[in-house]
Amino acid sequence: MEIKENYSLKALNTFNIDVNARYFVEINSVFEIKTLLSSKEFKNNRFLLLGGGSNILFINDFDGIVVKINMKGTEIIKEDEKYIYVKAYAGEVWDEFVNYCIANNYAGLENLSLIPGNVGSSPIQNIGAYGIELKDVFYKLNAINIKTGEQKIFKKDECDFEYRSSIFKTNLKNQYIIESVCFQLYKKPVFKIKYGDIKKELNEMAIEELSIKAVSRAICNIRNKKLPDTKKIGNAGSFFKNPLVSKAKFYDIKNKFPDIVAFEQALNKYKFAAGWLIEQCGWKGKRIGDAGVHKLQSLVLVNYGNASGMEILALANDLQQTVKKKFGV
């Protein structure tokens, strides 16, 4: 384990923002985590845990220590008649892990294909796409308490999973380092293809026999048609969350904008399609300097080359205010 100084983070964030960390270290084992927690560089500085760097916007140099979680490996924990339980370490690249599961016919993750980031970050964000969320396939995770160094197992009901959130973003933020995540996957696929354009894409692919590989390929095709490749243009995928509103608020806005796109949720809540709201405000494809809104997907903010984090943040704030003024959300 080597702690480096004045380390460039440009290649470690998918927005490609050119900033430095005062200290930087890569972690490859639980032993290294515990060694780091007792180091003076960690004890005496702010810290930032970094996975794939695909859900972060740097607006300044980081005056502290950035900890890149790189622990790798996958293993089968157990299985029964219906499920197989697969453990993956936090540093595994999410899409590579999804492809590993598909290749072995472990079903349940195929709708989450091509999401950027690492396995360790997935429960923090409760990642989701095309009708599936992480919580739907989550079994448990192992984490290390940053203050005590003790290891703890979190089961699903302890994680407080909500829409793009978990206890690790709220009550336990910056209190644990996730070591590994265990997934409960199906031996026999349970296909979920009603969401969005999945069925349409499968038809266009002329799929004769439905499989998790085919569903994954359809999801990848859909994503590639409307989402920019982080290797070609700086972005962090969908920048905005779909706003949740009460039933009364929904009908109030629906009366003013009859064509608004929304989806009914539990507890008398409605979720508006943020992309639709942004498009109606004229932001789709708009560019200010090197910061812009993607031309094919208005949920995605992009760095066309040399935009600073502050410029992208300013664009996001302007966009939010425009939507709030027009729709009240």
Side-chain angles (χ1 to χ4, degrees), residues 81-93:
E81 289 186 6
K82 187 175 181 180
Y83 299 108
I84 188 156
Y85 298 81
V86 186
K87 175 182 176 181
Y89 281 85
E92 287 289 333
V93 175

Side-chain angles (χ1 to χ4, degrees), residues 41-190:
E41 289 88 353
F42 189 87
K43 286 183 174 181
N44 298 333
N45 288 280
R46 300 167 59 208
F47 68 87
L48 174 68
L49 305 177
L50 190 64
S54 59
N55 193 42
I56 192 166
L57 176 65
F58 287 106
I59 58 173
N60 294 303
D61 289 338
F62 190 78
D63 186 20
I65 184 166
V66 172
V67 182
K68 179 81 167 65
I69 306 298
N70 275 348
M71 295 174 290
K72 298 292 179 69
T74 57
E75 58 183 289
I76 305 303
I77 301 300
K78 64 177 182 176
E79 58 181 294
D80 54 35
E81 289 186 6
K82 187 175 181 180
Y83 299 108
I84 188 156
Y85 298 81
V86 186
K87 175 182 176 181
Y89 281 85
E92 287 289 333
V93 175
W94 175 260
D95 196 49
E96 291 179 4
F97 174 63
V98 171
N99 289 334
Y100 159 81
C101 292
I102 291 170
N104 286 281
N105 207 32
Y106 307 150
L109 297 179
E110 53 276 5
N111 289 49
L112 302 178
S113 295
L114 218 58
I115 293 178
N118 289 358
V119 167
S121 309
S122 62
I124 299 173
Q125 177 78 351
N126 186 24
I127 61 173
Y130 299 98
I132 298 291
E133 288 186 320
L134 188 281
K135 67 178 178 61
D136 299 326
V137 290
F138 179 88
Y139 182 61
K140 66 179 181 178
L141 65 78
N142 292 352
I144 297 172
N145 188 298
I146 290 172
K147 286 186 177 180
T148 67
E150 295 178 351
Q151 292 179 269
K152 177 177 171 58
I153 295 173
F154 286 86
K155 296 183 178 179
K156 183 186 288 190
D157 59 1
E158 297 175 285
C159 293
D160 293 350
F161 287 126
E162 293 183 1
Y163 171 55
R164 300 301 174 272
S165 184
S166 72
I167 197 169
F168 305 104
K169 285 182 74 172
T170 54
N171 295 343
L172 296 183
K173 184 176 182 179
N174 288 333
Q175 293 185 38
Y176 283 87
I177 295 175
I178 294 175
E179 170 206 337
S180 61
V181 185
C182 185
F183 301 86
Q184 183 185 50
L185 304 177
Y186 294 99
K187 288 185 172 181
K188 183 179 180 181
V190 179

Side-chain angles (χ1 to χ4, degrees), residues 259-275:
D259 295 330
I260 197 165
V261 179
F263 307 93
E264 188 173 1
Q265 307 293 300
L267 303 175
N268 285 321
K269 296 280 188 179
Y270 282 79
K271 182 191 293 182
F272 286 130

Side-chain angles (χ1 to χ4, degrees), residues 229-298:
D229 186 344
T230 57
K231 295 176 182 177
K232 297 178 180 179
I233 185 170
N235 74 94
S238 295
F239 192 93
F240 303 97
K241 289 172 65 176
N242 294 317
L244 285 168
V245 299
S246 67
K247 188 174 183 179
K249 180 78 170 177
F250 164 72
Y251 280 110
D252 179 54
I253 297 174
K254 179 77 171 175
N255 287 335
K256 298 174 184 175
F257 303 95
D259 295 330
I260 197 165
V261 179
F263 307 93
E264 188 173 1
Q265 307 293 300
L267 303 175
N268 285 321
K269 296 280 188 179
Y270 282 79
K271 182 191 293 182
F272 286 130
W276 188 91
L277 301 176
I278 294 166
E279 284 189 43
Q280 300 307 305
C281 292
W283 280 102
K284 190 174 184 179
K286 191 168 184 178
R287 176 171 175 171
I288 302 174
D290 271 359
V293 181
H294 194 252
K295 62 182 179 180
L296 298 179
Q297 174 52 271
S298 53

